[in-house]
Amino acid sequence: MKLMRVFFEKRDRARYISHLDLTRCMTRAFARTAIPIWFTEGFNPHVYMTFALPIPLGVEGARESFDFKLLEDSFPPAEIIRQLNAALPPDLQVLEAAEAVSKPEAIAWGEYEIRLYDPAGGAALGEVWDRFLDQPTIPVEKKTKRKVQEIDLRPLLTPLSKAAGEDCLTLSLRLPAGAALNLNPNLVLGAFQQFWGREPEYVRIARTAILREDLSLFA
């Protein structure tokens, strides 16, 4: 038996699936395959499956992951991909399957793409974004199940790129992720909208990469 890691994409309509429903979807997909997966023991056996970094509701994922235990070491990874994809919807597809390398605790960063659509135009939005980043501090409230904590977003936010279109601004940024500190990109969006004084007509957010401390891909 060995620990396998599946990388998958969560696109378009699938971004509205909650983490709980995503787990249920993957469990049902396994039930439609012949993949020799390990089940927990006890009165209520279920598929052993863990997600390293659950994705926020409404956010697309370009390379998300979950782990499961494979009973037969010789079972080919290509067959895992084929059988799962045949059982999954088109907006939720497996990209890769391999033996797990890093522990989930190794995750340190998440990279995101935020697309803002508005009649103001991409260039005008880009100017507002630059002024937003020029602030010495960006205070936001980070809510958890136990408390509300005020943090300064500015030193934690790493802007990577921006591209202005006719009616769209595409931003790429890096945020802390993992067990120590995990920042939702909607915190950035909310702070930007408050600074701007309005909301764009439409927003689309995608997590494009999950990284370790040295900025290498989580594998």
Side-chain angles (χ1 to χ4, degrees), residues 35 75-84:
I35 299 170
F75 195 83
E79 194 60 19
I80 294 173
I81 298 171
R82 187 190 70 79
Q83 291 194 32
L84 279 178

Side-chain angles (χ1 to χ4, degrees), residues 2-127:
K2 63 182 177 181
L3 186 66
M4 296 294 293
R5 182 160 292 155
V6 167
F7 294 94
F8 65 95
E9 60 180 0
K10 187 171 181 268
R11 299 285 194 184
D12 299 324
R13 294 170 297 177
R15 70 185 186 273
Y16 298 115
I17 299 175
S18 70
H19 179 64
L20 180 58
D21 286 337
L22 174 63
T23 303
R24 290 171 177 162
C25 180
M26 289 298 181
T27 300
R28 291 170 181 170
F30 271 111
R32 296 184 178 97
T33 71
I35 299 170
I37 188 170
W38 181 76
F39 281 72
T40 60
E41 300 173 352
F43 291 105
N44 184 28
H46 58 274
V47 172
Y48 171 84
M49 190 185 307
T50 59
F51 290 76
L53 191 66
I55 193 166
L57 181 67
V59 176
E60 294 180 293
R63 194 176 183 268
E64 302 301 302
S65 73
F66 68 85
D67 296 350
F68 73 95
K69 291 181 179 178
L70 188 66
L71 289 173
E72 298 177 11
D73 290 0
S74 60
F75 195 83
E79 194 60 19
I80 294 173
I81 298 171
R82 187 190 70 79
Q83 291 194 32
L84 279 178
N85 281 340
L88 288 168
D91 295 342
L92 194 62
Q93 290 285 289
V94 173
L95 305 171
E96 181 185 345
E99 192 168 354
V101 177
S102 305
K103 292 183 178 181
E105 292 79 9
I107 295 174
W109 306 100
E111 290 187 354
Y112 298 87
E113 181 183 87
I114 301 178
R115 292 186 179 181
L116 308 172
Y117 294 86
D118 196 84
L125 282 170
E127 291 176 1

Side-chain angles (χ1 to χ4, degrees), residues 145-156:
K145 292 181 179 179
R146 297 182 179 179
K147 63 180 180 179
V148 177
Q149 179 184 10
E150 185 170 293
I151 61 173
D152 181 8
L153 193 61
R154 187 62 195 92
L156 303 173

Side-chain angles (χ1 to χ4, degrees), residues 132-133 135-142 149-157 175-176 181 183 187 191:
F132 172 72
L133 293 180
Q135 298 178 99
T137 61
I138 305 177
V140 296
E141 287 188 347
K142 186 181 187 300
Q149 179 184 10
E150 185 170 293
I151 61 173
D152 181 8
L153 193 61
R154 187 62 195 92
L156 303 173
L157 162 64
L175 294 172
L181 179 62
L183 293 184
L187 277 176

